[in-house]
Amino acid sequence: MRTTDVKPWDLNYDSYNKEKYDDDIVRSIPWHELMHEEICNQINLISREWEVEKALELWVWTGLTTEMILKNYPNINFTVIDFSHQMLTWAKDRLKEYNVQYVESDYSEIRFEQWYDIVISVIGMHHQSDRWKRKVFKNIYDCLWNKWVFILWDLMMFEDQEKTAINDALHFHHLVENARDEESLKERAYHHKFLNKLTTANNQIEWLYEIWFKSVKVVFEKMNTVLIVAKK
């Protein structure tokens, strides 16, 4: 049984080419460029303390995030996961100059067999139910070397319902203002309304502490876009 609450065909991958998909993602995700800069900044801070040799990215999409990291840290050995054959094909083309291993699978169903220095999840965890978010968090904790780091960037809700409602409205406004065309807007608005399973940031922080992460911090928050860094 597939545990992710969305299927590859729900996301309409076959209607895209890589350039169109990348353009839609950059347009539809608030603070896309700024968040990637902050991820690289966090890796830079980590690398000052110890050498980052192995990294795992869950839900690699077309490889945008992995590529940005590898441009700055080309010696990191990456493993990337996606449940879409099409996405992995595009990622392989984008990342062909780097040392990357590819896994075609639903990451919520994998028990990771290797150890990693960093695990990264970018705009994918919100497709999991709360139960499976917690399961994946535990699997991530178990595959990290001692004192290493989980970086989670995702769309989240908040305990304050008014704040959540305002952020949701602002995200829809962002979609309307930045959509490439009407067809793209319909697709992204449907995705946001019916395919996302957002969880509060506080709940996810609590779950990470419950499985023994020693430090869990929000390092970026704008609208419903949140970046959490959890240290083992």
Side-chain angles (χ1 to χ4, degrees):
M1 179 181 69
R2 185 178 295 277
T3 53
T4 297
D5 294 333
V6 67
K7 315 297 187 297
W9 49 88
D10 291 329
L11 301 176
N12 203 23
Y13 288 151
D14 290 342
S15 69
Y16 286 96
N17 59 48
K18 180 165 66 69
E19 288 71 25
K20 178 184 176 185
Y21 182 83
D22 286 345
D23 184 56
D24 269 6
I25 287 295
V26 171
R27 288 171 177 270
S28 64
I29 302 298
W31 320 110
H32 189 276
E33 182 177 352
L34 187 58
M35 290 290 277
H36 277 93
E37 291 175 1
E38 184 57 38
I39 288 174
C40 287
N41 179 54
Q42 291 300 317
I43 294 175
N44 179 54
L45 293 174
I46 295 163
S47 65
R48 293 178 185 178
E49 299 182 41
W50 54 73
E51 184 179 2
V52 178
E53 296 181 357
K54 294 177 63 178
L56 170 68
E57 185 181 1
L58 311 176
W59 215 319
V60 69
W61 307 106
T62 67
L64 276 172
T65 301
T66 308
E67 181 185 40
M68 183 170 293
I69 294 170
L70 285 171
K71 282 182 177 179
N72 291 279
Y73 303 94
N75 294 324
I76 295 178
N77 295 317
F78 254 96
T79 298
V80 299
I81 300 174
D82 205 288
F83 66 174
S84 164
H85 180 77
Q86 180 65 76
M87 287 294 165
L88 281 179
T89 299
W90 289 337
K92 288 177 182 178
D93 180 63
R94 168 172 269 132
L95 304 172
K96 57 181 177 290
E97 297 180 6
Y98 300 101
N99 183 14
V100 179
Q101 289 74 50
Y102 303 88
V103 179
E104 184 175 339
S105 181
D106 183 338
Y107 67 74
S108 66
E109 299 174 343
I110 294 177
R111 182 72 176 179
F112 306 115
E113 300 296 333
Q114 299 186 52
W115 295 92
Y116 297 96
D117 304 319
I118 296 178
V119 177
I120 301 165
S121 176
V122 171
I123 307 296
M125 200 68 70
H126 64 276
H127 291 306
Q128 303 289 347
S129 66
D130 287 359
R131 175 191 174 194
W132 287 102
K133 284 187 180 78
R134 300 181 76 163
K135 177 180 181 290
V136 173
F137 288 169
K138 180 61 168 63
N139 286 348
I140 289 169
Y141 179 89
D142 289 343
C143 78
L144 283 167
W145 283 107
N146 188 33
K147 296 185 179 180
W148 297 81
V149 177
F150 171 40
I151 297 174
L152 172 63
W153 164 23
D154 221 315
L155 305 176
M156 301 183 190
M157 298 189 301
F158 299 90
E159 297 291 329
D160 185 330
Q161 293 184 345
E162 288 187 359
K163 179 179 179 179
T164 293
I166 291 171
N167 286 338
D168 195 52
L170 289 171
H171 194 161
F172 270 110
H173 179 73
H174 177 90
L175 293 176
V176 171
E177 290 296 306
N178 291 278
R180 182 180 58 255
D181 51 36
E182 185 175 353
E183 188 63 31
S184 175
L185 174 59
K186 288 179 180 178
E187 186 166 309
R188 288 296 156 185
Y190 177 86
H191 182 125
H192 182 68
K193 184 70 175 178
F194 297 109
L195 300 183
N196 292 350
K197 309 290 183 183
L198 304 193
T199 306
T200 66
N202 281 351
N203 278 350
Q204 293 177 82
I205 290 169
E206 288 177 7
W207 299 338
L208 290 165
Y209 273 125
E210 285 174 4
I211 56 177
W212 300 105
F213 278 99
K214 293 181 179 179
S215 170
V216 183
K217 296 181 179 179
V218 174
V219 298
F220 184 100
E221 177 195 318
K222 286 184 180 293
M223 286 166 42
N224 55 4
T225 304
V226 181
L227 181 63
I228 292 175
V229 175
K231 297 183 179 180
K232 190 171 181 179

